[in-house]
Amino acid sequence: DASDTINRANRVTANRLLRAGVRVTIYPGLMHTKMALVDGRWAYIGTGNFDALSLRRNHELGLSIAGGPVIGELEERLFNADLRPEWELTQFLSVGPAEYLSELLADLFL
């Protein structure tokens, strides 16, 4: 199943982001919207995943905003309103060969 493959691959991506010092929050339900906020200076909201498939093949839609008061509004009204502290990753997710293989398969075929 493609969604299982993508979910496994996303575990690898989440660990990479966490290792790089990025705060990662995983919403426990289904949500297609993705959002990133960087130091109160840059924001992205859209449908694109942070993976090779979305970046090179899928037709994703997103909005990037650099500076201005709208970033604070996005953080307060959308980001903080929908997240709970317990959803933030504080340790690495368990990954093994299946997750790395899923990442490779997703990059090549999905």
Side-chain angles (χ1 to χ4, degrees), residues 31-46:
M31 177 186 286
H32 191 65
T33 301
K34 282 59 167 199
M35 185 169 180
L37 295 167
V38 179
D39 298 333
R41 296 176 181 212
W42 183 85
Y44 167 85
I45 186 167

Side-chain angles (χ1 to χ4, degrees), residues 78-94:
L78 295 177
F79 199 74
N80 292 339
D82 286 338
L83 297 179
R84 298 213 163 72
E86 62 268 22
W87 297 342
E88 184 174 347
L89 291 183
T90 56
Q91 53 189 323
F92 296 112
L93 298 171
S94 174

Side-chain angles (χ1 to χ4, degrees), residues 49-85:
N49 293 316
F50 297 108
D51 61 17
L53 176 65
S54 291
L55 294 173
R56 72 165 191 259
R57 186 169 174 203
N58 287 352
H59 300 285
E60 303 288 357
L61 182 63
L63 175 66
S64 175
I65 303 165
V70 73
I71 292 174
E73 292 251 351
L74 282 173
E75 185 171 12
E76 189 62 35
R77 291 183 177 201
L78 295 177
F79 199 74
N80 292 339
D82 286 338
L83 297 179
R84 298 213 163 72

